[in-house]
Amino acid sequence: MTIQRRQLIAAIGAGAVASTAGCSQSNGGSGGGDGTDGSDGDDGTGGSDGESGPDVAGETLTLTTTTSTYDTGLLDEIHTDFEEMYGVSVDAVAQGTGAALESARNGDADVVMVHARGLEDEFLRNGYGINRRDLMFNDFVIVGPEDDPAGVQGMESATEALAAIAEAEAQFVSRGDNSGTHTKELNLWEAAGTDPGGDWYQETGTGMGEALNVANQQGAYTLADRGTFISQRSEIDLVILVQGPIEDGPEILANPYGIMAVNPGVHDNANYDLAMAYIGWVTSPGVQDAISSYQVNGEQLFFPEAVSEDPDFQQYVPEGWSSESADE
């Protein structure tokens, strides 16, 4: 990234931390540690005199996340700026959405970045997560061998495509790992009125990258997020047969990502100051622009969603929640 971009992101990120410092649990206050507010300004992360932002230098943020954000190289691309800005390190643990939320539920994460709204809502309702934000989106695609034995290429309905694959008993590889992609796949089978099983249906229990490799080796179909597929397309022979909404496919294949902090009221070891600094930073206009600009082989993988002229305030709470329903 250019020096100009680094400076822009640093400026926005510093503002984000200043805005969250007031609700932090330790070393609250204002100021950016640049020497203009009486702080020493040595590292730009805040001082220890009680008058500057939270002093997080030297700490590690544990981020549990889906494999797609890691396998595509996105996190490696953007995290260097955050680490340099605050003098911290980010430990990104790629597990798939279900496992990422479970790790956070067990107190082994500070922040989670995942893509299965139903599982996120359950996490929020049970009190484990707070301050959720919409982050970005891409979509799911159904991929398979170019000869397409089930004849699904170009279908406008994802559920009809899966029903055709099941009827043909064509090989299908499922992640089978309770990830966001696996959750979406199960929802699609249910909507198709089909209960997959038998010799044609294989669950790998792996991340997206490995599932694509298995499907490629077996000449099988699979459901993939567009980002991971693009990042591996040059290494496999599979092709997109049913598009998602980014390419005018069915909306049911939309793939939104969210981010939220682990509730320090449930796990007092959660690094809430650093988690909120990270959420403010990654949802800032500068980093959203960096996400939008990130490409593999000339193709955009993710589309920013945190900054909007008309924000959706339901992003902060579980679907269907209202103050009236909470009182019932």
Side-chain angles (χ1 to χ4, degrees), residues 2 23 44 54 87 98 106 120 122 124 138 143 148 151-152 163 190 194 198-199 215 222 246 263 266-267 276 295:
T2 64
C23 59
N106 293 334
E120 295 172 57
E122 180 184 3
L124 287 167
N138 59 16
V143 304
D148 186 20
V152 302
E190 182 178 4
T194 302
D199 293 339
T222 193
I246 288 175
N263 187 353
V266 174
H267 293 295
M276 289 306 297
Q295 297 185 346

Side-chain angles (χ1 to χ4, degrees), residues 64-76 93-97 100 113-116 135-140 175 177 179-181 206-210 212 223-232 255-258 294 296 301-302:
T64 54
T65 185
T66 176
T67 59
S68 58
T69 60
Y70 187 86
D71 290 347
T72 56
L74 173 68
L75 298 184
D76 287 337
V93 183
Q95 300 176 292
T97 290
M113 180 191 296
V114 289
H115 66 140
L135 177 61
M136 59 189 181
F137 68 93
N138 59 16
D139 59 2
F140 294 105
R175 285 180 58 170
D177 62 349
S179 62
T181 304
T206 64
M208 191 72 257
E210 183 59 28
L212 280 167
L223 181 73
D225 71 278
R226 185 182 296 272
T228 306
F229 176 75
I230 288 174
S231 70
Q232 291 194 212
N255 183 28
Y257 290 76
Y294 181 64
V296 171
L301 272 58
F302 299 96

Side-chain angles (χ1 to χ4, degrees), residues 7-28:
Q7 291 171 338
L8 173 62
I9 293 175
I12 294 171
V17 172
S19 68
T20 60
C23 59
S24 64
Q25 293 184 318
S26 62
N27 292 337

